[in-house]
């Protein structure tokens, strides 16, 4: 066991980890930040996506010990300072971009990474970017709408093709 | 205009705030003090005899508390099956025991043999590898038809064969059906497979068992769609724990799609082991484990035939289906290919004579049970593929052939030859709506544009009917169900007028906390924010049957309406007392009680306060308090229907099919929250398109699962579909429930697979590949290419 | 997964020293190693992280060669190679998904040599040199069949040197579940001739398609491939495609890569 320190959602946090402790486990068990979900064991589903030093990373596919000193943002860190829903979160609620909520933390974090890189993505770009995030509930259409709305674009009608 | 938060409003979901901020409470988020972890050692062979288990090394390992085997469950029952189907000779189905841990034999890859409980999950898993299981491999039974051959290896030694049942429906019609085929002007037939699928809710299953020795009481936290059903099945049939000593909690659940209906061995194990060890026991499934332990869906092989007269009227339909049950009977498994499938074989059509034969077969594969749509997608796929093929063979327009044979709006209620009575519907209207929304008229121009780019474009249609809102208890009882299918609700009005509703339904993505509140808000005329919906905990909700079969609003919502009406009745009596008027003269509007024709009124909270502070109150006639419970048992199924249009583009070089637009025109009856309904349809479409193009659960001939992870089981992604247009403006309200609602959860998954396949075949035919009459799902690029070049 | 010791050296020398230990294994982006450890297919005694070694990261041009540090992520290559070697940048940008690209590295990909991976096609298709802590290996010698390379025990890749082509492109037909290549072609045109590398298709891993190279070297156009078909012999057959289908895709993807490369 060794101690790992990270800045998580702006706060310095530490927990004891084994070599095999994954970032997802560090967050969920070590820090009790259970917003980050685990939906697979082959690194495909993206339910676990968080930002590490500003970049989207699958927290189930990174060792906590390899991230000493990293800045991590999870879905718990996405609300406004007053506790109200942040811009991306609000768009997901407004456009019904979630149902069971299980994929949602990963979707929100991937969206944050996308919009940081590409503030006005097209529908194609959004669909492509979300390739690593699986949602079984929504059929994605409302997620895509929510992402585009979060980027300030009109989503009244998503084109048919 | 609907009120902001009443019936018909697209109220934003209140549950979203906790999900979007990471504050959902899913079962895996629950960690109890002193918790231990279990890992199941599962069979890696499909079929084998257990000769011996040596767990001594494992038991000596760090942190290991105990290794359990079947012997520990001598006094427990098997996992029960909730439905008994009677075969065509009137005999009950063959029903093997389904032990918690494998007894003597393993029967599928993933069958649990031992359970290791340790201080940490990693220790449990490490120790499981130190267990030596001596297994004599037996020949696996994988192919359904081979399983039924004389002399085939038996999955269950104590059964007479691998046949669970051979079901005929309606058996008495069989000769008349055959006669109609003999006299038919045209007969069209098709052999097809309904591919095996894995439900794959994004949250894997989790169970946490807890035991309180002081009260001798058990609590199970589990990822379930129906906690009361689990309490009943596990308490009464497996572990012999009376209801009052067993609490089952299904907190936030990350999707289910059927796979979380059933009672699973892991739930019983954790509940039981927590008592043995006097410590909480937690199991979290990995995704890989889910693939070999969650019940699968579909997996039918069918031959279907349609007889038509010279004028192209459908005169008879007959089918023969092989339905895979897997190695054991999961909770509802026997009912899926029978009562949820055979009864739907009339589709939207006036086919007068129908005979359905289903042979349910045991194989050395994971048990198969309901998956979104359950039986109805299989029925719809057969009918709608066959009608399309018929149109092609007869050289008529597939739309016109359907219209000609549709049940007409004036013919409802309509008694089909397969037992059910459709109460309402207007299939011509949904078909017209779909064609309008899909710009069918402009298709030819779009096709030409695709052709100019070397791509093949096609348009496919399907019209579906489903029976949902399950189900009338007395009817399903006759059909073999071992439970009722009512729903319950308690409405507790608090002293200040706020309202707590306890529903037996369960929400795992459907948004009940929002929609159910809309219903009550509308009925009473109070702000929806003063209403809270509780579900998922057997300790505070009345016995309910849970959420599946598109039943929550139609059955659960109806129970809420019923309970709320009781509340209103009583509240009116209190108001009458306060206003010194007769109860009959009291009107409730916008949360205010008034005496008809006067300006005398008292508001909602005035009445609720009087109910709990009964100083000025008719105590001789009326109990204090304002809390009512109701059970609603539907008198019929509900019958949503709709027309689906799918436009695809096919790349002839690679065989890849892209969905360009998908139009769903559904008749769901009345709608409470259009936004949520639309989301339900989107999700269903994605799963149906997934079945048609991407998803396939495949075993090799040794019973090894080839598609056992997301590396090989293709989950639909954002990039795999686009252009959904969903309409629900065609409304024929359900005639027998108080809200006039039909249910919308499964429709998308039911109607879409045939629309997609029909579109692909259409594209191929328009490009001259007329020899291709069918391609089995999923239509992968490789299969399409092979068909084109075969 | 099994437990292990975790070390994170700051230099190649320290990494090589750490890797001399028993059952030690390098960890780069972890996008392959971690899932395989979860499945208990891989059980190192210690993991030596390469992500804290600055000299292993970066993309830089040296004359007609692009040099990429082994621990450079796919995302960084997609970004930093775009100007000098757009065909390679586009390939890197198609690997997996954004989160995988933010962690996965070129060194890890080449060391792993998955028969469906993308980078092996670029390395073989450019005739790259794989530079390790102890030697330089030509791509033609490096890839030795699926999951097999010329690397020795404890040897680590430090960089990859890719000759920059006049024109190049990667055409990938995605295996829809895993997002790896079902079959993909990397085509690169040099003054000396054309190289074509195919990944995803063969039971022997990445390979060069000699007939196509010959045809394209005399006429770099998709039409030059007319009539050329690859044999289905030793092609991978699985749920996602038959051997014949993969052989067919070899032709289609090569043609598409040539068309995308332009002239
Ligand atoms: C969802 C998903 C999708 C993917 N899609 C694709 C795809 O489309 N195309 C594709 O090509 N790949 C794909 N990958 C694989 C991805 O590109 C990996 O990142 C890559 O194959 C391995 O690189 P890594 O840095 O993650 O290596 P690691 O996982 O850290 O290591 C892989 C192996 O290489 C060894 N190793 C690592 N670095 C070195 C080194 N410098 N010297 C010697 N040995 C070393 C390790 O010991 C290990 O055995 C995908 C992965 C995932 C999870
Ligand atoms: S849990 Fe990380 S990708 Fe699935
Ligand atoms: S909302 Fe349930 S998985 Fe996406």
């Amino acid at each position: 066991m060794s101690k790992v320190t990270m800045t998580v959602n702006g706060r310095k946090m530490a927990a004891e980890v084994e070599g095999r402790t994954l970032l997802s486990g560090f967050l969920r068990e070590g820090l009790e930040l259970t917003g980050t979900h685990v939906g697979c064991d082959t690194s495909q589903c993206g339910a676990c996506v968080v930002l590490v030093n500003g970049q989207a990373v699958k927290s189930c596919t990174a060792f906590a010990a390899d991230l000493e000193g990293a800045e991590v943002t999870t879905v718990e860190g996405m609300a406004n300072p007053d506790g109200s829903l942040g811009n991306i979160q609000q768009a997901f609620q407004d456009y019904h971009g979630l149902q069971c909520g299980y994929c949602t933390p990963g979707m929100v974090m991937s969206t944050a990474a996308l919009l940081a890189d590409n503030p006005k993505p097209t529908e194609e770009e959004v669909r492509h970017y979300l390739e690593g995030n699986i949602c079984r509930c929504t059929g994605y259409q409302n997620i895509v709408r929510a992402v585009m709305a979060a980027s300030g674009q009109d989503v009244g009608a998503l084109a048919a093709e | 205009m609907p009120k902001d938060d009443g019936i018909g409003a697209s109220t934003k979901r209140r549950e979203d705030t906790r999900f979007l901020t990471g504050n959902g409470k899913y079962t895996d988020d629950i960690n109890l003090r002193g918790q231990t972890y279990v890992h199941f050692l599962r069979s890696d062979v499909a079929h084998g005899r257990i000769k011996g288990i040596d767990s001594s090394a494992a038991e000596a390992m760090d942190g290991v508390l105990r290794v359990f085997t079947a012997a520990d469950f001598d006094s427990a029952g098997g996992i029960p099956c909730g439905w008994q189907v009677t075969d065509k000779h009137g005999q009950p189905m063959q029903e093997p025991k389904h032990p918690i841990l494998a007894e003597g034999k393993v029967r599928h890859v993933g069958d649990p043999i031992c359970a290791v409980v340790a201080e940490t999950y990693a220790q449990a898993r490490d120790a499981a590898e130190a267990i030596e299981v001596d297994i004599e491999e037996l020949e696996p039974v994988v192919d359904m038809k081979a399983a039924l051959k004389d002399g085939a290896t038996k999955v269950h030694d104590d059964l007479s064969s691998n046949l669970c049942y051979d079901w005929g429906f309606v058996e008495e019609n069989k000769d008349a059906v055959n006669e109609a085929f003999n006299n038919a002007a045209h007969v069209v037939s098709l052999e097809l497979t309904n591919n095996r699928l894995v439900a794959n809710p994004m949250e894997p299953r989790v169970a946490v068992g807890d035991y309180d020795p002081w009260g001798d009481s058990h609590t199970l936290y589990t990822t379930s769609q129906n906690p009361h059903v689990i309490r009943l099945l596990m308490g009464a049939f497996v572990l012999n724990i009376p209801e009052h000593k067993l609490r089952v909690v299904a907190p936030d659940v990350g999707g289910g799609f059927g796979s979380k209906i059933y009672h699973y061995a892991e739930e019983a194990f954790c509940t039981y082991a927590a008592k043995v060890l006097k410590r909480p026991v937690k199991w979290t499934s990995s995704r890989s484990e889910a693939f070999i332990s969650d019940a699968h869906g579909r997996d039918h092989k069918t031959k279907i035939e349609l007889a038509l007269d010279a004028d192209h009227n459908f005169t008879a339909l007959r089918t023969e289906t092989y339905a895979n049950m897997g190695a054991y009977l999961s909770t509802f498994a026997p009912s899926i290919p029978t009562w949820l499938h055979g009864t739907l074989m009339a589709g939207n059509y006036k086919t007068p004579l129908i005979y359905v034969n289903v042979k349910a077969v045991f194989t050395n594969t994971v048990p198969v049970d309901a998956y979104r749509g359950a039986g109805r997608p299989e029925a719809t796929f057969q009918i709608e593929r066959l009608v399309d093929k018929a149109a092609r063979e007869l050289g008529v327009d597939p739309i016109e052939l359907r219209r000609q044979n549709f049940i007409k709006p004036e013919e409802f209620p309509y008694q089909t030859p397969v037992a059910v009575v459709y109460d309402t519907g207007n299939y011509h209207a949904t078909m017209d709506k779909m064609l309008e929304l899909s710009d069918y008229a402009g298709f030819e121009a779009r096709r030409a544009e695709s052709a100019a780019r070397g791509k093949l474009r096609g348009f496919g249609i399907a019209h579906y009917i489903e029976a949902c809102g399950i189900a009338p208890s007395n009817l399903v009882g006759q059909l073999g169900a071992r439970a009722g299918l009512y729903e319950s609700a308690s409405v507790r009005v608090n002293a200040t007028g706020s309202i707590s509703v306890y529903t037996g339904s369960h929400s795992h993505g459907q948004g009940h906390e929002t929609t159910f509140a809309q219903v009550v808000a509308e009925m009473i005329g109070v702000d929806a924010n003063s209403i809270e919906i509780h579900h998922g905990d057997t300790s505070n909700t009345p016995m309910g049957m849970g959420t599946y079969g598109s039943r929550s609003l139609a059955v659960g919502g109806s129970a809420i309406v019923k309970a709320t009406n009781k509340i209103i009745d009583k509240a009116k009596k209190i108001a009458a007392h306060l206003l010194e008027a007769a109860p009959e003269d009291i009107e409730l509007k916008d949360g205010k009680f008034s005496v008809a024709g006067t300006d005398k009124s008292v508001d909602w909270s005035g009445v609720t306060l009087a109910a709990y502070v009964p100083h000025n109150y008719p105590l001789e006639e009326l109990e204090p308090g304002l809390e009512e419970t109701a059970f609603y048992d539907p008198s019929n199924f509900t019958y949503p229907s709709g027309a689906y249009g799918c436009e695809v583009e096919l790349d002839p070089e690679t065989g890849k099919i892209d969905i360009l637009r998908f139009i769903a025109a559904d008749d769901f009856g009345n709608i409470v929250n259009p936004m949520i309904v639309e989301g339900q349809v989107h999700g269903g479409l994605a799963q149906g398109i997934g079945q048609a193009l991407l998803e396939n659960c495949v075993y090799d001939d040794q019973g090894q699962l080839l598609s056992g992870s997301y590396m090989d089981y293709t989950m639909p992604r954002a990039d795999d579909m686009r252009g959904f247009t969903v309409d629900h403006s065609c409304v024929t309200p359900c005639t027998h429930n108080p809200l006039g609602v039909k249910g919308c959860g499964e429709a998308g998954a039911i109607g879409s697979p045939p629309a997609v396949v029909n579109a692909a075949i259409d594209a191929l035919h328009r490009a001259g590949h007329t020899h291709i009459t069918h391609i089995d799902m999923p239509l992968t690029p490789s299969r399409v290419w092979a068909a084109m070049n075969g | 997964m099994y437990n292990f010791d975790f070390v994170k050296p700051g230099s190649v020398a320290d990494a090589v020293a750490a890797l001399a230990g028993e059952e030690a294994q390098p960890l780069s982006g972890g996008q392959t190693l971690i899932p395989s450890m979860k499945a208990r297919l891989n059980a190192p005694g210690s993991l030596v992280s390469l992500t804290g070694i600055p000299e292993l990261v970066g993309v830089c041009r040296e004359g007609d060669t692009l040099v990429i540090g082994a621990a450079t992520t796919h995302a960084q290559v997609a970004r930093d190679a775009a100007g000098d070697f757009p065909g390679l940048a586009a390939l890197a940008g198609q690997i997996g998904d954004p989160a995988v690209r933010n962690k996965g590295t070129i060194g890890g990909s080449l060391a792993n040599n998955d028969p469906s991976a993308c980078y092996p096609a670029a390395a073989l298709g450019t005739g790259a040199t794989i530079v390790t802590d102890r030697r330089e290996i030509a791509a033609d010698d490096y890839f030795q069949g699926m999951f097999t390379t010329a690397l020795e025990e404890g040897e680590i890749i430090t960089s990859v040197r890719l000759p920059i082509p006049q024109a190049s492109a990667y055409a990938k037909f995605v295996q829809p579940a895993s997002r790896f290549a079902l079959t993909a072609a990397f085509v690169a045109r040099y003054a000396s001739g054309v190289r074509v590398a195919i990944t995803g298709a063969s039971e022997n891993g990445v390979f060069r398609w000699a007939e196509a190279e010959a045809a394209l070297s005399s006429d770099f156009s998709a039409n030059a491939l007319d009539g050329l078909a690859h044999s289905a012999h030793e092609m991978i057959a699985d749920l996602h495609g038959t051997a014949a289908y993969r052989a067919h895709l070899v032709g289609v993807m090569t043609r598409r890569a040539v068309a995308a490369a332009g002239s």
Side-chain angles (χ1 to χ4, degrees), chain B residues 126 129 651 653-654 712 717, chain C residues 2 40 177 240 245 248 256:
Chain B
D126 288 344
E129 284 186 14
D651 178 348
E653 279 189 336
T654 62
D712 284 301
R717 318 264 177 145
Chain C
Y2 302 100
R40 302 197 159 212
H240 307 284
Y245 181 64
H248 166 74
R256 288 185 182 181

Side-chain angles (χ1 to χ4, degrees), chain B residues 326-448:
Chain B
Y328 305 100
L329 291 177
S330 175
T331 309
F332 283 135
S335 68
I336 310 305
T338 51
W339 300 110
L340 289 175
H341 163 252
T343 50
L344 272 301
M345 288 308 299
N348 304 91
Y349 308 106
K350 290 189 289 185
T351 317
L353 286 163
I354 296 176
Y355 179 71
V356 180
N357 174 252
V358 179
K359 296 172 183 74
V361 187
F362 293 111
T363 59
N364 291 117
T365 63
V366 167
V368 182
D369 205 328
Y371 165 61
R372 200 173 196 162
R376 293 148 291 168
E378 293 90 323
T380 304
F381 186 69
Q382 294 166 46
I383 299 167
E384 291 301 298
R385 278 292 298 122
L386 186 64
V387 170
D388 234 55
K389 185 166 185 254
R392 232 172 266 292
E393 286 183 13
L394 300 170
V396 299
D397 178 0
I399 299 168
E400 284 317 311
L401 183 63
R402 287 181 170 88
R403 280 196 180 122
Q404 174 187 341
N405 285 282
F406 273 165
I407 299 160
K408 297 194 175 60
E410 61 275 17
E411 290 171 329
F412 293 95
Y414 185 84
Q415 170 73 59
T416 72
V418 275
V420 292
V421 180
Y422 300 161
D423 60 341
T424 52
N426 186 341
Y427 311 146
H428 294 79
T430 40
M431 181 68 100
D432 291 347
K433 189 74 193 174
M434 181 275 289
L435 292 172
E436 172 202 325
L437 291 172
S438 54
D439 184 21
Y440 188 56
F443 171 75
E444 193 43 46
R446 296 192 294 274
R447 194 191 68 78

Side-chain angles (χ1 to χ4, degrees), chain B residues 122 125-126 129 651 653-656 694 698 706-707 710-715 717 719-720 780-782 785, chain C residues 1-2 38-40 173 175-180 238-242 244-245 248-249 252-253 255-256:
Chain B
R125 196 164 169 195
D126 288 344
E129 284 186 14
D651 178 348
E653 279 189 336
T654 62
K656 184 167 190 296
L694 304 166
V698 185
L706 297 178
S707 51
Y710 292 156
M711 294 293 279
D712 284 301
Y713 188 90
T714 309
M715 294 290 280
R717 318 264 177 145
D719 224 5
D720 291 320
T780 59
S782 180
W785 178 80
Chain C
M1 66 187 80
Y2 302 100
K38 287 185 196 171
R40 302 197 159 212
F173 195 82
Q175 195 267 51
S178 72
R179 318 311 271 185
F180 279 73
D238 62 13
L239 287 181
H240 307 284
T242 58
Y245 181 64
H248 166 74
L249 283 184
V252 176
M253 292 299 126
R255 226 168 267 126
R256 288 185 182 181

Side-chain angles (χ1 to χ4, degrees), chain B residues 477-784:
Chain B
Q478 287 163 26
L479 304 182
R482 289 164 169 161
L485 284 168
Y486 51 82
E487 197 45 88
S488 66
S490 282
V491 177
R492 177 184 301 166
V493 181
N494 305 306
T496 61
S498 66
I499 302 169
S500 308
V501 177
Y502 299 84
T503 167
S505 288
H506 185 272
S507 183
H508 31 280
Q510 295 87 346
H512 295 167
E513 291 166 40
T514 302
T515 41
F516 288 179
Q518 286 178 256
V519 170
V520 177
E522 176 84 26
M523 290 179 72
I524 299 179
V526 294
D527 184 348
N529 288 324
S530 66
I531 302 164
E532 193 79 10
I533 307 295
H534 300 269
H535 62 88
D537 186 342
T538 60
S539 72
N540 63 19
T541 57
M543 171 81 179
M545 299 310 291
T547 290
Y548 41 83
S550 308
R551 69 192 302 275
S552 289
L553 189 59
V555 191
S558 295
I560 290 174
V561 170
K562 224 175 141 184
T564 306
N565 275 329
K566 289 187 188 178
I567 292 282
I568 293 171
D569 280 352
K570 183 171 177 185
K572 280 184 176 172
K573 287 183 188 148
I574 302 170
H577 175 86
L578 295 175
L579 298 170
E580 298 175 334
E584 312 78 75
D585 294 336
I586 302 293
E587 290 171 350
L588 170 62
K589 192 161 181 282
D590 295 334
K592 192 180 262 192
F593 296 91
S594 49
V595 183
T598 74
D599 58 1
K600 289 207 294 183
S601 70
V602 54
D603 64 18
W604 171 250
S605 58
V607 170
T608 61
L609 194 63
Y612 288 96
V613 188
H615 296 163
N616 174 15
Y617 195 88
L619 284 167
E620 337 48 73
E621 294 143 40
L622 222 50
E623 290 171 21
L626 200 50
E627 177 167 345
E628 298 287 349
T629 294
F631 286 76
Y632 175 82
D633 204 279
S635 60
N636 190 357
F637 292 86
T638 61
Y639 299 95
S641 61
Y644 284 8
C646 175
E647 201 161 311
V648 300
E649 193 172 76
L650 192 156
D651 178 348
E653 279 189 336
T654 62
K656 184 167 190 296
I657 294 169
D658 288 325
I659 304 280
L660 299 181
R661 49 174 77 190
F662 202 107
I663 294 81
D666 294 292
D667 175 359
F668 293 137
N670 295 331
I671 303 282
V672 171
N673 184 320
M675 174 192 82
I676 287 179
V677 165
E678 200 167 292
Q680 289 291 308
V681 177
H682 287 171
L685 292 180
Q687 291 182 356
I689 292 169
Q691 168 165 35
L693 298 182
L694 304 166
E695 299 180 37
N696 205 13
C697 178
V698 185
Y699 282 94
D700 70 9
D701 58 6
Q702 291 305 302
Q704 292 292 332
L705 185 59
L706 297 178
S707 51
S709 81
Y710 292 156
M711 294 293 279
D712 284 301
Y713 188 90
T714 309
M715 294 290 280
R717 318 264 177 145
D719 224 5
D720 291 320
M721 56 200 70
R722 60 210 65 224
F724 292 173
T725 302
V726 172
D727 178 272
H728 30 78
S729 65
C730 298
V731 174
T732 62
C734 169
T735 58
H736 55 80
N737 65 41
L739 292 165
V741 297
K742 297 183 178 179
C744 67
E746 296 161 296
I750 293 172
S752 55
V756 175
V757 179
N758 288 344
I761 301 291
D762 184 61
L764 289 165
H765 275 248
R766 287 177 194 267
H769 297 276
T770 49
H771 68 285
I772 303 175
T773 55
H774 181 70
I775 304 175
D776 267 329
M777 300 189 291
L779 276 67
T780 59
S782 180
R783 284 188 180 176
V784 173

Side-chain angles (χ1 to χ4, degrees), chain C residues 64 84-85 126 162-168 186-190:
Chain C
D64 286 340
D84 290 316
F85 193 165
T126 55
L162 303 108
I164 299 172
Q166 296 164 339
S168 69
F186 186 86
V187 171
R189 179 184 189 186
Y190 294 91

